[in-house]
Amino acid sequence: MKYDYLIVGAGLYGAVFAYEAARKGKSCLVIDRRDHIAGNIYTKEISGIQVHEYGAHIFHTSDKRIWDYINRFAEFNNYINSPMAVYQNELYNLPFNMNTFSKMWNIRMPQEAKEIIAGQIAGLKITEPKNLEEQALSLVGEDVYRKLIKGYTEKQWGRDCRELPAFIIKRLPLRFTYDNNYFNDRYQGIPIGGYTAMIKKMLENTEIKLGIDYLEHRMELNAMAERVIYTGQIDRYFDYCEGVLAYRMVRFEHEILDCDNYQGNAVVNYTERDVPYTRIIEHKHFEFGKQQKTVISREYPSEWHQGEEPYYPINDERNNAVYEAYRKLAAKEKNVVFGGRLGEYRYYDMDKVIGRALEVAERELK
């Protein structure tokens, strides 16, 4: 045994665990089948701009302990996420707030907006929503749903909203203030210099090997370490013996433009079903860039197939039951800890990934 821990996955979860293990004097080898560290928060410098290669990642948390922890590895700027939405050349602020309602209905006062929304909901007479469309309509009314939710959601899921279960949308926050800050969390920002540099600092005392598929070399890799921290797909680990877990995936189309400012905002959603992408990211605005060029990324959601990179777990009734079968198998693996978005088949915000990794590290390294 050469290492105390083999960590499968060089993303945020694996990097936090590796850092904590190194602090406790444990030897670790971190491997990843990609050719870079940082997983889906990987940033790559293009034309002097830190490009979020796998979609926008804005760090936000209300947990001061997590905020203080992550600031050990990077200096964060004061970026505030204030996305926009385009519907048939109309421009709206997100999240749904008084700026949105003022533009939509030419009103100014919160009570006016409340009355319009309440009137639309009452007129629909939906008592028990049978699908996502009815659920959304019963929460926000006709106008907000048709312009800002329906098309975007159908692109995200690849299905008509009437074919999607109601439980996917538990709530849709409505703000009756002129506040475009998407998150309610106390702490928010982007690491100056990008996430890759932040993860590199976490892993500076840990050996790393890239371009290695753990499951293709499982026996020889297991022989190198006392224990394994596995952050890959849990169903693939067990050779899909209980069935294949479903995901949505996203294709990214990056483009360098010979202008200094393309859309004036980091995130602009396109909510019409006929527009094939869900949003355009202009990366320089995450760091208030003044470069003469700009880089944009269009995001195209699609169905996921085995062998492709999985992104968002589909936590419906069927998939949760399949995952539960895998979780029981995982509990029997003596020297393997399953963690992260793929290992636990759960979507995690970044602060929750850190919290979960710290929790596991505390238990493992005590």
Side-chain angles (χ1 to χ4, degrees):
M1 297 289 183
K2 185 177 178 182
Y3 303 98
D4 294 307
Y5 287 95
L6 170 69
I7 301 171
V8 181
L12 186 56
Y13 186 104
V16 169
F17 187 93
Y19 174 79
E20 293 301 311
R23 285 180 60 221
K24 293 295 180 83
K26 302 293 185 181
S27 58
C28 297
L29 171 64
V30 173
I31 65 169
D32 202 295
R33 64 178 178 173
R34 293 176 176 174
D35 62 359
H36 60 74
I37 62 171
N40 280 2
I41 64 172
Y42 172 68
T43 50
K44 178 182 179 180
E45 185 171 317
I46 300 175
S47 298
I49 299 164
Q50 290 296 328
V51 173
H52 298 217
E53 284 277 299
Y54 302 100
H57 286 84
I58 298 106
F59 195 90
H60 59 98
T61 186
S62 291
D63 189 330
K64 190 174 187 303
R65 178 182 68 104
I66 298 296
W67 180 248
D68 290 344
Y69 182 86
I70 202 65
N71 274 267
R72 300 179 191 178
F73 311 105
E75 181 182 356
F76 280 72
N77 65 21
N78 61 338
Y79 175 81
I80 299 295
N81 191 30
S82 303
M84 306 293 293
V86 175
Y87 175 82
Q88 295 184 352
N89 289 323
E90 298 172 359
L91 193 63
Y92 293 98
N93 290 97
L94 299 175
F96 312 134
N97 69 74
M98 283 305 300
N99 287 308
T100 319
F101 309 142
S102 177
K103 175 68 177 289
M104 190 171 289
W105 299 312
N106 192 29
I107 59 171
R108 186 169 63 87
M109 306 304 287
Q111 188 59 35
E112 295 176 282
K114 290 178 182 179
E115 289 173 0
I116 291 172
I117 292 169
Q120 290 186 4
I121 292 172
L124 293 166
K125 295 182 170 57
I126 298 171
T127 54
E128 293 185 14
K130 298 181 181 63
N131 52 53
L132 185 147
E133 177 164 289
E134 291 187 358
Q135 174 77 343
L137 286 168
S138 70
L139 293 171
V140 298
E142 187 85 21
D143 292 347
V144 173
Y145 171 71
R146 296 292 176 195
K147 290 189 174 185
L148 301 179
I149 297 172
K150 178 177 169 59
Y152 190 90
T153 303
E154 290 179 345
K155 286 189 287 188
Q156 282 280 43
W157 290 94
R159 291 164 180 80
D160 189 288
C161 284
R162 289 166 292 188
E163 298 172 9
L164 293 166
F167 69 76
I168 289 177
I169 294 182
K170 292 183 172 62
R171 62 188 186 91
L172 287 168
L174 298 172
R175 290 186 190 166
F176 296 98
T177 58
Y178 289 89
D179 179 7
N180 297 325
N181 183 355
Y182 194 81
F183 301 118
N184 289 317
D185 289 315
R186 170 68 177 83
Y187 308 103
Q188 183 175 172
I190 303 283
I192 297 170
Y195 285 101
T196 302
M198 183 185 83
I199 297 295
K200 184 177 180 181
K201 187 169 179 60
M202 287 182 169
L203 295 174
E204 61 185 2
N205 295 316
T206 302
E207 187 176 347
I208 306 165
K209 292 185 179 180
L210 301 174
I212 296 176
D213 190 319
Y214 166 73
L215 295 179
E216 291 181 2
H217 307 279
R218 187 186 319 206
M219 291 186 65
E220 60 190 88
L221 288 166
N222 285 350
M224 297 170 64
E226 293 282 351
R227 287 179 66 73
V228 176
I229 306 297
Y230 178 80
T231 69
Q233 292 172 250
I234 190 170
D235 54 349
R236 184 168 176 251
Y237 179 94
F238 291 106
D239 199 25
Y240 307 107
C241 67
E242 298 289 347
V244 178
L245 290 167
Y247 296 85
R248 289 292 287 171
M249 70 170 288
V250 184
R251 177 173 63 86
F252 301 96
E253 184 183 88
H254 306 297
E255 186 177 0
I256 303 171
L257 300 177
D258 195 17
C259 66
D260 66 347
N261 187 2
Y262 174 72
Q263 64 185 15
N265 202 48
V267 182
V268 178
N269 291 357
Y270 287 78
T271 62
E272 291 172 75
R273 180 73 186 263
D274 292 342
V275 177
Y277 44 85
T278 51
R279 60 182 183 175
I280 296 179
I281 307 300
E282 187 168 12
H283 301 268
K284 71 188 303 178
H285 297 307
F286 288 131
E287 294 197 55
F288 316 106
K290 292 180 170 52
Q291 298 89 348
Q292 292 305 301
K293 294 192 176 188
T294 193
V295 181
I296 65 170
S297 300
R298 295 177 179 87
E299 298 187 7
Y300 299 82
S302 65
E303 296 288 341
W304 172 82
H305 304 96
Q306 281 180 249
E308 296 175 324
E309 190 63 41
Y311 282 88
Y312 304 109
I314 300 177
N315 292 116
D316 59 17
E317 187 175 348
R318 178 262 171 194
N319 285 292
N320 286 342
V322 172
Y323 168 69
E324 182 60 22
Y326 283 122
R327 190 193 63 77
K328 290 176 181 177
L329 290 176
K332 298 176 183 177
E333 294 285 292
K334 290 184 179 179
N335 295 314
V336 183
V337 176
F338 294 79
R341 175 178 55 95
L342 304 181
E344 298 178 72
Y345 195 66
R346 180 178 175 184
Y347 179 78
Y348 280 116
D349 285 330
M350 285 182 284
D351 63 326
K352 301 301 189 296
V353 171
I354 294 169
R356 185 74 174 133
L358 287 173
E359 178 186 321
V360 171
E362 184 176 359
R363 184 176 70 237
E364 279 284 319
L365 303 169
K366 62 183 178 183

